[in-house]
Amino acid sequence: MMRLLFVGFAAAVIGACGAKHTGSPHDAAGQAADAPEALDAGRSITAEGMLEPIRTLSSDEFEGRAPGTDGEARTVAYLIERFKSMGLAPGNPLDGSYVQDVPLVGFTAQPSTSFAAAGGAIDLRFPTDAVIWSRRARPRVTVENDDVVFVGYGVVAPEYGWDDYKGVDVRGKTVVILINDPPVPLDPSDPEKLDDKVFKGRAMTYYGRWTYKYEEAARRGAAAAIIVHQTGPAGYPWGVIMISSGRENFDLDVTDRSSGHADVEGWVTVDAARRLFAAAGQDFDAMKKSAVRRDFRPVPLTLKANLAVTNTLRRIASRNVIAKVEGSDPALKDQYVIYTAHWDHLGRDPKRTGDPIYHGALDNASGTAALLELARAFTRVKPRRSVLFLSVTAEEKGLLGAKYYVTHPLYPLAATVANINIDGVNVWGRTRDIGIVGQGQSTLEDVLAPFAQAQGRTVVGESQPDKGFYFRSDHFEFAKVGVPALYLDRGVDVIGKPQGWGMAKRQAYIEHDYHQVTDTIKPDWDLSGAAQDVQLLFQVGYAVANAAGVPAWKPGSEFRTAGDERVRGGKR
């Protein structure tokens, strides 16, 4: 029955956007989105409504909103108070509260990274040359006199006929891995033109993400997994690694917490990698080039790894915050549309001179403010399905709050028909375009299209597909378990600005403010673009909450199988 609904919804959206109704927003929602109360609710979302929460959450008082700190306590209290004041119901059906406890274990590492070579030891400095850690909940973890193997990009992808391990036994060894997907050229004589049929060309697949690299190395039994950092079109500066990974890290404090991790994980700079390979009698750049070929085989390096991590451990009960708007239709109210945005950021660093607080105004006080505006808008309407507003913890530490929710759902995943995620809003003004991260994944994009058209906007793919944003925010955890997910990419064709201005602003943010203490409200912010986007997300969510059918994964999506399994596992 459910599979028929999936197909029916996709067909209805596609049909509604055809000649019969000329693609009005009215069509995708079965007239619901054109109802006066829905139009009024959407218009109630304003730039001013978002600015106050952003200013509050990114203020010094909230101390950067790190899990397990006074900043978390203030953030959670603030969100609960806001949800209560708007009249939303508590979202936890188990205890009638607005929170879901998320057990975390924190690791603050004091690492030592050394490699023995024929010419003597090569010691890598923390954090300028290398950043390593261990997610084992033990005070000290060591890898001693360990064989080192270069495994190229560390990818095993049968659908692309690709296997970087080639059956080589790396159990108990240290593997060195390249970041990103293998950049396979369409023509070997022109390496700049990539084959888009292999790892989607310049668009990153999950195989290119560092999380996958560590997971695959752990599946292969490696004792340590070290990734070579890359700055460039698909990378971010080494400073982001130092700040994000070189401080306290977290994992879920559950019985199977250590699964999916080698004893030691980490990063080294490209310069450090070149030194190591040279000490082993190899040329790093030549080896990197060879790893682009399907016939690449792992290369043992004449090195011995000596890695040690002394952990300071602490266990904390962090919290997701969740509120609910009850559905009005007795037949549909036990189905759910869920909006997500992470409340956490990087906290404060007392060792810093000057400002010690990572304010996280754009990332993600802005997304949290958008979530609050959406919740307020939904109190003005009567959606048929129930709508949940989930602000999750520890996104910055590996999507942990979202991961905990989908492994301990408060509402059945089989009844969760869509996830709409907000991680950063457009702070540079209204745009003519709106991007979809991971375009081509689900029929939620078809729901969005007529609403974007009504705003006079063009729907495009993400502006930086090589960065793998689809795998870097909380919606990914929902996608992995089969819940259709939508994540917008902020537009870059800014009205009233010259061509290229929007991309230049985005790049400047990545280079100077992303995961830096300078991520604060700027004098040139223009939240009219944020209001435009969040109104769009309201319309999509409201349409899904009222439609006869539910969203589906598209045929080419890698999450379609998980979606089918989710539906088959449900009781409806």
Side-chain angles (χ1 to χ4, degrees), residues 183-200:
V184 180
L186 184 62
D187 181 350
S189 66
D190 186 1
E192 294 301 314
K193 294 182 180 180
L194 301 187
D195 187 347
D196 60 9
K197 294 183 174 59
V198 185
F199 301 108
K200 298 183 180 180

Side-chain angles (χ1 to χ4, degrees), residues 53-280:
I54 297 172
R55 181 175 287 117
T56 298
L57 291 166
S58 63
S59 68
D60 288 358
E61 180 185 0
F62 284 70
E63 299 183 340
R65 308 186 307 280
T69 66
D70 291 343
E72 168 170 1
R74 293 188 181 99
T75 301
V76 170
Y78 174 80
L79 293 175
I80 292 173
E81 186 278 327
R82 288 295 305 268
F83 284 137
K84 282 183 176 179
S85 69
M86 290 186 286
L88 275 80
N92 189 331
L94 304 179
D95 61 11
S97 76
Y98 289 90
V99 299
Q100 178 188 36
D101 289 338
V102 179
L104 299 177
V105 57
F107 308 83
T108 302
Q110 294 180 345
S112 172
T113 308
S114 182
F115 291 83
I122 300 173
D123 298 323
L124 301 183
R125 296 167 298 167
F126 168 83
T128 54
D129 294 327
V131 173
I132 67 169
W133 61 86
S134 176
R135 294 185 184 271
R136 306 298 190 208
R138 300 197 299 266
R140 186 170 173 82
V141 178
T142 60
V143 170
E144 298 177 346
N145 205 37
D146 202 29
D147 291 340
V148 180
V149 182
F150 174 57
V151 295
Y153 287 88
V155 170
V156 178
E159 67 272 35
Y160 297 120
W162 200 277
D163 181 0
D164 281 329
Y165 284 88
K166 300 290 195 302
V168 173
D169 187 0
V170 297
R171 288 176 295 177
K173 298 177 182 178
T174 293
V175 293
V176 178
I177 314 167
L178 299 172
I179 193 61
N180 299 327
D181 293 309
V184 180
L186 184 62
D187 181 350
S189 66
D190 186 1
E192 294 301 314
K193 294 182 180 180
L194 301 187
D195 187 347
D196 60 9
K197 294 183 174 59
V198 185
F199 301 108
K200 298 183 180 180
R202 295 199 179 279
M204 183 181 287
T205 72
Y206 188 50
Y207 295 116
R209 283 289 288 159
W210 56 269
T211 46
Y212 167 80
K213 314 282 186 181
Y214 293 138
E215 291 164 359
E216 189 62 45
R219 283 191 284 268
R220 301 279 159 172
I226 306 298
I227 295 176
V228 180
H229 174 259
Q230 174 178 301
T231 300
Y236 32 67
W238 179 253
V240 174
I241 300 291
M242 290 196 294
I243 292 168
S244 301
S245 301
R247 303 169 63 212
E248 184 176 34
N249 285 290
F250 289 91
D251 206 345
L252 295 177
D253 190 13
V254 293
T255 54
D256 62 348
R257 182 198 53 75
S258 293
S259 63
H261 298 288
D263 284 345
V264 175
E265 299 170 340
W267 295 82
V268 297
T269 65
V270 172
D271 288 342
R274 288 194 174 105
R275 288 161 51 199
L276 292 174
F277 277 63

Side-chain angles (χ1 to χ4, degrees), residues 348-366:
R348 62 195 306 273
D349 183 358
K351 297 178 181 178
R352 279 186 57 89
T353 56
D355 187 355
I357 298 173
Y358 293 86
H359 299 275
L362 185 55
D363 183 16
N364 189 35
S366 71

